[in-house]
Amino acid sequence: MKFEDLKVRVQEIIDLIAAKQEREANNKLLEVSDDLDEMLDHAEEDEDLREISRYQVLLNQLHVKINGEEQVDGE
């Protein structure tokens, strides 16, 4: 899976959040997060690692948004 597909899937999560479908958004977030971890395991280029890192930060922010959790330093 490359970054264009990832971008589409993250947009789907955002759309689900906007539609107040938190359960579906959370399920899709977990799927995308697993795929992102897999991509990280196989990434070789620095640019790929940077892009994966950006998506990890975005997914973390979406997780907080979906679950209403306060982000704690160090997590």
Side-chain angles (χ1 to χ4, degrees):
M1 176 176 57
K2 272 305 201 187
F3 295 110
E4 281 303 313
D5 184 42
L6 194 58
K7 182 178 178 180
V8 169
R9 294 174 70 199
V10 169
Q11 185 60 52
E12 290 172 1
I13 296 168
I14 294 168
D15 293 344
L16 288 167
I17 293 170
K20 305 281 190 218
Q21 296 178 358
E22 287 85 6
R23 181 180 301 242
E24 293 85 353
N26 196 54
N27 290 340
K28 182 156 291 282
L29 187 142
L30 292 174
E31 290 172 15
V32 173
S33 183
D34 287 345
D35 290 342
L36 197 61
D37 288 344
E38 184 72 21
M39 289 174 72
L40 182 61
D41 289 343
H42 300 293
E44 296 178 7
E45 301 293 325
D46 286 345
E47 183 56 37
D48 288 345
L49 293 172
R50 283 191 288 275
E51 191 71 13
I52 290 168
S53 177
R54 289 182 196 114
Y55 277 101
Q56 286 176 321
V57 170
L58 177 56
L59 289 179
N60 185 52
Q61 291 171 339
L62 292 173
H63 175 80
V64 170
K65 177 79 172 167
I66 292 167
N67 295 294
E69 300 171 359
E70 291 294 321
Q71 192 169 2
V72 179
D73 290 339
E75 286 190 14

